[in-house]
């Protein structure tokens, strides 16, 4: 809310400083996981079945890590994957805003 001319730059610097301290930012992750996420985002749809994510993960030799990679990207807010029931586990929401709109 500052009237200073450089307020956007100051805000950006403050966000970068705070974000750099987050554990997820410094955590090393597999390039395979990033490739799975990249392919998922290219699908340009709101949600996909878990089996489709499993198939992509297997393609990049990360099929045995599908639940772990979904949990990681869920915690970052990049997608939504709930596991409380089998029905929820079967859906991976690629567009969290779509889910909010549906709720």
């Amino acid at each position: 809310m500052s009237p200073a001319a450089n307020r956007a730059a100051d805000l950006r610097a403050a966000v970068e400083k705070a974000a750099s301290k987050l554990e997820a930012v410094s955590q090393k992750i597999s390039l395979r996981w990033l490739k799975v996420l990249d392919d998922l985002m290219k699908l340009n749809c709101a949600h996909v079945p878990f089996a489709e994510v499993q198939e992509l993960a297997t393609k990049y030799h990360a099929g045995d890590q599908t639940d772990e990679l979904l949990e990681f990207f869920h915690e970052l807010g990049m997608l939504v994957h709930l596991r409380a029931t089998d029905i929820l586990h079967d859906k991976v929401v690629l567009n969290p805003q779509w889910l909010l709109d549906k709720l």
Side-chain angles (χ1 to χ4, degrees):
M1 302 305 282
S2 169
N6 62 344
R7 65 185 180 266
D10 291 344
L11 177 60
R12 181 178 294 119
V15 169
E16 286 175 359
K17 183 178 178 182
S20 69
K21 295 177 183 176
L22 296 174
E23 181 182 331
V25 172
S26 61
Q27 183 177 348
K28 293 182 181 181
I29 61 168
S30 170
L31 190 56
R32 294 172 180 159
W33 288 18
L34 292 174
K35 190 63 180 150
V36 171
L37 180 66
D38 187 48
D39 282 6
L40 286 172
M41 294 303 132
K42 287 179 183 175
L43 294 175
N44 199 26
C45 59
H47 57 87
V48 295
F50 177 85
E52 191 167 341
V53 179
Q54 182 78 51
E55 188 177 309
L56 277 173
T58 300
K59 174 181 172 183
Y60 295 111
H61 308 287
D64 60 334
Q65 302 167 350
T66 306
D67 278 317
E68 189 179 342
L69 76 87
L70 285 173
E71 181 180 356
F72 179 77
F73 291 127
H74 173 89
E75 289 177 8
L76 290 178
M78 303 186 79
L79 51 79
V80 176
H81 184 238
L82 305 171
R83 300 181 301 193
T85 67
D86 289 341
I87 293 171
L88 290 174
H89 184 271
D90 186 49
K91 297 292 181 214
V92 178
V93 178
L94 304 177
N95 181 351
Q97 186 60 51
W98 172 85
L99 181 60
L100 288 173
D101 292 346
K102 293 298 177 185
L103 294 173

